[in-house]
Amino acid sequence: MKQHWVLAGAILLAVMAGNLQAEDVEWDFTVEAERVEQSFDDGDSTIDTVTLAPALHVGDWSFSLSAPWQQVDGSYFVNNAYPNLEYLCSQINSLTALQKWLLYQNGTLTPQQIQYCNQTGGVESVTLQDEVDGWNDIEVFASYFLPLPSDAFSAALGVGYKHDNGDAEAGLGTGTRDLFAEANGWWRAGAVVVGLTLGYEHLLENNTSIELNDYGYTSLDARWQVRDWVAPGVEYHYQQANADVLDDLDYFTYYVRVGRSSGLGARLFITDYRDATGYPEEEFGGSLSYSF
């Protein structure tokens, strides 16, 4: 099955490359620095991220790469909204002996998974270092902008690949290699802009000791373009659980974005995880970016 996904992705990339016409080639490069503060019952964490994101545009095609470097200060943190190895092990370790035994009996957990999380993935263990830094997983993405008859609507289809170069046991990555597909749509009415994303992530390779599954995700973004350089907005995110011991996740992000598509930009945000178990009680942050 994995080979079929890889073959399908290779064919799609070949078709995309073959259909590129001799059009003007444009490129841009974005550097973003972000700080996120997270608060939990038993402590706080700070996540600093510097992301390098070059992109190439040829006609209606776009090809981009995202390479985030992170420094985390805190003995427990949630690196991103996607369920990761560190968060997953924290949920397994928080179970009682009876709950673990029942999950073992119905096939949800294996002794190897329980032992692995006890020894290496226990994020609440006193042996976990309070500070870690390094590269997170790198992603490449190709998308095609769909020409539509109305200026009020726009859409794009894309496919991407996430590598597993990040240290998953330290929380800097998921420990998996994934192929994902996305469909994006936007609707604009005056100063109001609404965006919808539908995506599906397929695991090509799982290098962890935990049984992980494919999952779907969606997000809805609504913003008010007060000026061409400032826009407050809200995002709603929903993600299927990628492990049997987890629940689906939905959360809101409230933000203010300042800046245009090129040049200097800034973003302030607050994330509400709706009391999801293991996620921050409070999370807020901001970022500065420059595109050229």
Side-chain angles (χ1 to χ4, degrees), residues 103-278:
L103 291 174
Y104 164 71
Q105 290 297 314
N106 66 23
T108 301
L109 281 178
T110 66
Q112 293 79 12
Q113 293 170 352
I114 296 174
Q115 182 181 16
Y116 177 84
C117 284
N118 283 339
Q119 293 180 346
T120 64
V123 296
E124 296 175 278
S125 167
V126 294
T127 61
L128 185 74
Q129 23 179 13
D130 288 337
E131 185 173 316
V132 63
D133 60 74
W135 290 99
N136 204 310
D137 293 344
I138 292 175
E139 294 184 358
V140 292
F141 189 70
S143 63
Y144 178 70
F145 183 79
L146 299 174
L148 299 178
S150 173
D151 293 337
F153 296 92
S154 55
L157 298 175
V159 62
Y161 168 75
K162 183 190 72 62
H163 199 52
D164 61 344
N165 57 281
D167 186 348
E169 293 183 8
L172 300 176
T174 63
T176 64
R177 298 181 182 182
D178 304 347
L179 183 68
F180 60 95
E182 283 188 4
N184 298 277
W186 301 268
W187 171 69
R188 181 162 191 161
V192 177
V193 181
V194 178
L196 175 66
T197 298
L198 299 173
Y200 187 81
E201 193 122 358
H202 172 70
L203 271 66
L204 295 173
E205 184 176 326
N206 181 6
N207 294 313
T208 75
S209 297
I210 306 298
E211 184 68 27
L212 300 175
N213 308 316
D214 297 349
Y215 63 93
Y217 57 92
T218 184
S219 66
L220 185 65
D221 181 358
R223 68 178 184 267
W224 178 33
Q225 202 72 43
V226 181
R227 296 286 188 270
D228 63 342
W229 53 274
V230 59
V234 57
E235 299 172 349
Y236 172 75
H237 296 263
Y238 174 82
Q239 295 161 353
Q240 289 182 321
N242 72 337
D244 294 335
V245 296
L246 298 178
D247 296 323
D248 293 351
L249 173 70
D250 67 319
Y251 64 96
F252 289 93
T253 299
Y254 307 91
Y255 66 87
V256 176
R257 181 181 300 165
V258 179
R260 298 179 174 86
S261 57
S262 61
L264 187 64
R267 187 174 184 261
L268 298 174
F269 60 90
I270 298 174
T271 303
D272 178 11
Y273 288 108
R274 298 162 53 84
D275 297 323
T277 303

Side-chain angles (χ1 to χ4, degrees), residues 16 20 55-64 141-145:
M16 289 160 47
L20 293 179
L56 177 68
H57 310 282
V58 184
D60 291 328
W61 294 93
S62 292
F63 306 89
S64 60
F141 189 70
S143 63
Y144 178 70
F145 183 79

